[in-house]
């Protein structure tokens, strides 16, 4: 967190924790799963943020057959998709998405297409036209594949795209992709993003004449 602003051409947006506050649902689903397995719910939640479910299971239950993780994750994913109680937009997200409507941007999420659609709709947020979901990659965050694919879809080099993320896995993925990372929310600072804002109300977005976008953290904030 050494620069007050970032200037880029493309914007790559995580969903959960960055645009959508889904913490209540994530906690309900994963605490329940952890209790069934006799695991520490806090530790499971720490691992779960920003990752595909089967990788969370593989991390906290090492050595368990992956086919079991895949099967259990399908069941949990169905529960998560159906459970939208308590889902709200992150402060500033509606105005931010309105501000970037005509700028190059993409959603890059570890969620499935169905889960992403359900949560964006529950939060009342516009779904970006370009999306990279769990079905579009072979490796989940913290692997940089999703962000690199998003940059390629936008048509820009990785270094000319900014990642918006909240989780350890997501921030690590963005940095591994060679991209500046704007950390959003309370979980982000400890993972050393390039820039940090408490929410999207604390980010100023300035389209420049050459087509680039300047992103600046502010005290009061405005998208």
């Amino acid at each position: 967190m050494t620069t007050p602003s970032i200037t880029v051409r493309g914007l790559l947006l995580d969903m959960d924790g960055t645009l959508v506050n889904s913490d209540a649902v994530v906690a309900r689903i994963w605490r329940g799963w952890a209790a069934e397995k006799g695991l520490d719910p806090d530790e499971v939640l720490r691992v779960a943020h920003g990752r595909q479910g089967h990788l969370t299971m593989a991390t906290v239950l090492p050595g368990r057959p992956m086919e079991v993780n895949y099967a259990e994750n399908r069941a949990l994913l169905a529960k998560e998709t159906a459970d939208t109680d308590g889902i709200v937009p992150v402060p500033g997200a509606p105005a931010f998405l309105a501000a970037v409507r005509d700028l190059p941007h993409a959603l890059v999420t570890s969620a499935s297409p169905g889960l992403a659609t359900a949560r964006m709709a529950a939060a009342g947020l516009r779904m970006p036209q370009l999306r990279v979901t769990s079905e579009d990659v072979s490796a989940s965050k913290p692997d940089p594949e999703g962000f690199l694919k998003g940059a390629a879809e936008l048509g820009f080099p990785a270094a000319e795209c900014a990642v918006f993320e909240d989780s350890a896995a997501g921030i690590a993925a963005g940095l591994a992709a060679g991209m500046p990372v704007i950390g959003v929310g309370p979980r982000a600072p400890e993972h050393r993003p390039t820039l940090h804002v408490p929410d999207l109300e604390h980010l100023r977005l300035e389209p420049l004449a050459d087509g680039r976008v300047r992103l600046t953290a502010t005290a009061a904030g405005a998208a």
Side-chain angles (χ1 to χ4, degrees):
M1 295 184 286
T2 58
T3 58
S5 66
I6 295 169
T7 301
V8 293
R9 295 191 178 277
L11 310 175
L12 301 174
L13 316 175
D14 174 53
M15 181 183 70
D16 289 306
T18 302
L19 298 173
V20 172
N21 183 341
S22 57
D23 283 1
V25 177
V26 173
R28 280 196 297 273
I29 297 295
W30 284 99
R31 283 186 181 279
W33 182 84
E36 291 175 1
K37 306 302 176 188
L39 300 172
D40 179 352
D42 291 335
E43 175 61 18
V44 171
L45 275 178
R46 186 190 66 78
V47 174
H49 285 295
R51 296 177 190 265
Q52 292 183 30
H54 67 274
L55 293 180
T56 295
M57 294 173 183
T59 300
V60 299
L61 291 174
R64 194 168 76 148
M66 282 304 296
E67 57 265 27
V68 176
N69 295 335
Y70 285 122
E72 285 195 5
N73 185 54
R74 284 192 293 271
L76 285 190
L77 184 59
K79 290 182 180 179
E80 286 189 275
T81 303
D83 186 352
T84 58
D85 187 29
I87 290 181
V88 294
V90 167
F96 176 80
L97 284 172
V100 304
R101 180 182 290 273
D102 296 324
L103 301 175
H105 68 285
L107 188 75
V108 182
T109 176
S110 296
S112 67
L115 182 60
T117 299
R119 287 187 174 169
M120 291 290 281
L125 295 176
R126 173 184 65 83
M127 176 66 82
Q129 182 175 359
L130 180 59
R131 300 178 289 278
V132 179
T133 71
S134 63
E135 293 188 0
D136 300 312
V137 296
S138 60
S140 178
K141 303 170 186 177
D143 191 282
E145 181 185 356
F147 288 125
L148 291 171
K149 184 164 187 175
E153 292 289 339
L154 291 179
F156 299 124
E160 294 185 12
C161 294
V163 164
F164 289 71
E165 266 287 359
D166 72 302
S167 70
I171 292 169
L175 295 175
M179 302 174 180
V181 177
I182 297 175
V184 180
R187 286 188 289 266
E190 66 178 294
H191 307 299
R192 303 182 66 80
T194 313
L195 196 68
H196 174 253
V197 292
D199 55 47
L200 294 172
E201 289 182 342
H202 291 78
L203 186 74
R204 184 170 67 248
L205 186 150
E206 301 172 82
L208 304 177
D210 63 0
R212 296 184 299 162
V213 181
R214 181 181 295 124
L215 305 162
T216 307
T218 70

